[in-house]
């Protein structure tokens, strides 16, 4: 990817915006100095992001901050996946500042910064009008499952599932690209370094992977990539049996075939988000499917 040139591009975009005033605020690149206040904004929304989650998101992506009278009142983050695609998320306006056009202005700045990539996001019901007005189309639904995991009795790990090793990481990135149609090695590198990884090994090839990592109130499992729902359940089981009593979250596409099974594990469905795209959707290149996403922001 273009590295520092991408940051220069975003700086050019934001510098071309209105400087803002006490009423509108000023949009600028998201910086480490914004992190602590960003945690406070997400808590206003009852989103369980920790400081570490914000640091992780900012390290692998780009962001915009909206300041008013020196205080952070809005954020919008995006993550480039090659030159053709990006995902967006963590779009927040302080509750005291909502209804004043800040969200539209900040999101338009994000669109300019991410252009000309096709942009993907997962929207709450409240966010749908903003995105629909800008041409985003609904293309799917994500079901959010979470809860304190029940005891996992009698688990016997199948012989074709093992812990992932660093030597597997290049192949895992290839599997992820096959399943999603996205080139996102930087995201995968950070997820693999931060979490526990399990893979399915069949003969001399890998046929799926799953990652569990600390996030929010406990652990999130995702991405989960496999050839079928049965394999996906086995990968998830291999991670769940180590997390008994922990708070666990998975964000799974509707139609994954995992919903009822996850409910039975104590990881119950609690909400949903609408997957939306501006531009064209990435096309998966192989038989693999995504059964759980990394989170609703990264996709």
């Amino acid at each position: 990817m273009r590295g520092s040139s991408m940051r220069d591009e975003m700086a050019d975009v934001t510098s071309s915006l209105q400087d803002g005033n006490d009423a509108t605020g000023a949009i600028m690149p998201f910086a480490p100095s914004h992190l602590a206040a960003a945690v406070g904004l997400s808590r206003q929304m009852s989103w369980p992001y920790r400081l570490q989650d914000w640091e992780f998101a900012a390290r692998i992506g780009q962001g915009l901050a909206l300041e008013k009278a020196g205080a952070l009142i809005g954020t919008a983050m995006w993550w480039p996946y090659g030159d053709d695609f990006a995902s967006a998320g963590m779009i927040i306006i302080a509750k005291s500042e909502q209804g004043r056009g800040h969200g539209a202005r900040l999101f338009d700045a994000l669109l300019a910064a991410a252009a000309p990539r096709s942009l993907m996001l997962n929207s709450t019901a409240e966010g749908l009008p903003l995105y629909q007005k800008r041409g985003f189309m609904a293309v799917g639904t994500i079901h959010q499952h979470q809860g304190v995991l029940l005891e996992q009795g009698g688990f016997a790990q199948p012989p074709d599932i093992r812990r992932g090793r660093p030597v597997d990481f290049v192949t895992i990135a290839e599997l992820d690209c096959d399943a999603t149609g996205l080139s996102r090695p930087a995201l995968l590198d950070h997820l693999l370094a931060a979490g526990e990884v399990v893979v399915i090994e069949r003969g001399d090839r890998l046929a799926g992977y799953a990652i569990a990592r600390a996030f929010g109130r406990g652990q999130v499992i995702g991405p989960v990539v496999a050839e079928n729902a049965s394999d996906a359940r086995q990968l998830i089981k291999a991670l769940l049996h180590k997390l008994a009593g922990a708070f666990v979250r998975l964000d799974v596409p509707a139609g994954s075939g995992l919903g009822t099974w996850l409910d039975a594990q104590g990881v119950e469905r609690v909400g949903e988000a609408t997957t939306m795209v501006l531009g064209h959707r990435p096309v998966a290149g192989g038989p693999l499917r995504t059964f759980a996403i990394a989170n609703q922001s990264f996709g």
Side-chain angles (χ1 to χ4, degrees), residues 231-267:
D231 283 353
R233 285 191 290 270
Q234 291 300 321
L235 286 164
I236 295 169
K237 281 183 182 179
L239 295 169
L240 289 182
H241 90 278
K242 302 177 181 180
L243 299 175
F247 184 90
V248 177
R249 172 172 172 170
L250 291 96
D251 293 288
V252 303
S256 67
L258 300 181
T260 301
W261 177 76
L262 286 171
D263 290 342
Q265 313 306 307
V267 188

Side-chain angles (χ1 to χ4, degrees), residues 163-164 191-192 194-198 210-213 219 238-239 242-243:
R163 188 170 185 176
L191 291 175
L192 292 164
E196 179 159 358
V197 188
V198 292
I211 303 173
R213 64 185 176 92
Q219 293 276 322
L239 295 169
K242 302 177 181 180
L243 299 175

Side-chain angles (χ1 to χ4, degrees), residues 51-135:
L51 178 62
Q52 298 95 317
D53 300 324
W54 274 100
E55 290 172 336
F56 187 97
R59 189 162 58 246
I60 62 174
Q62 308 288 327
L64 294 168
L66 177 58
E67 287 189 4
K68 181 178 176 182
L72 183 72
I73 64 166
T75 61
M77 306 293 292
W78 65 281
W79 298 271
Y81 300 143
D83 292 330
D84 296 325
F85 297 99
S87 65
M90 301 171 90
I91 300 163
I92 308 173
I93 297 296
K95 286 190 174 182
S96 61
E97 295 288 343
Q98 291 177 6
R100 303 181 184 183
H102 295 314
R105 182 165 165 255
L106 185 59
F107 190 66
D108 286 343
L110 184 152
L111 291 178
R117 298 169 182 85
S118 293
L119 192 63
M120 303 165 290
L121 55 82
N122 288 296
S123 175
T124 62
E126 293 79 9
L128 285 174
L130 172 66
Y131 307 131
Q132 289 169 336
K133 288 178 182 177
R134 283 151 182 79

Side-chain angles (χ1 to χ4, degrees), residues 74-238:
T75 61
M77 306 293 292
W78 65 281
W79 298 271
Y81 300 143
D83 292 330
D84 296 325
F85 297 99
S87 65
M90 301 171 90
I91 300 163
I92 308 173
I93 297 296
K95 286 190 174 182
S96 61
E97 295 288 343
Q98 291 177 6
R100 303 181 184 183
H102 295 314
R105 182 165 165 255
L106 185 59
F107 190 66
D108 286 343
L110 184 152
L111 291 178
R117 298 169 182 85
S118 293
L119 192 63
M120 303 165 290
L121 55 82
N122 288 296
S123 175
T124 62
E126 293 79 9
L128 285 174
L130 172 66
Y131 307 131
Q132 289 169 336
K133 288 178 182 177
R134 283 151 182 79
F136 279 79
M137 300 295 293
V139 296
T141 304
I142 294 293
H143 292 164
Q144 179 179 332
H145 287 256
Q146 64 186 42
V148 176
L149 188 67
L150 302 176
E151 291 290 333
Q152 301 291 297
F155 175 77
Q157 185 159 304
D160 57 355
I161 292 184
R162 62 168 173 80
R163 188 170 185 176
R165 301 187 289 259
V167 70
D168 300 320
F169 289 0
V170 170
T171 302
I172 288 173
E174 292 172 352
L175 297 180
D176 185 80
C177 186
D178 286 345
T180 64
L182 299 171
S183 175
R184 48 185 195 173
L187 172 64
L188 265 294
D189 284 348
H190 282 81
L191 291 175
L192 292 164
E196 179 159 358
V197 188
V198 292
V199 299
I200 296 178
E201 186 172 48
R202 297 222 166 100
D204 59 353
R205 70 181 182 93
L206 297 188
Y209 80 93
I211 303 173
R213 64 185 176 92
F215 175 81
R217 295 170 59 186
Q219 293 276 322
V220 61
I221 296 178
V224 177
V225 166
E227 293 178 350
N228 53 63
S230 177
D231 283 353
R233 285 191 290 270
Q234 291 300 321
L235 286 164
I236 295 169
K237 281 183 182 179

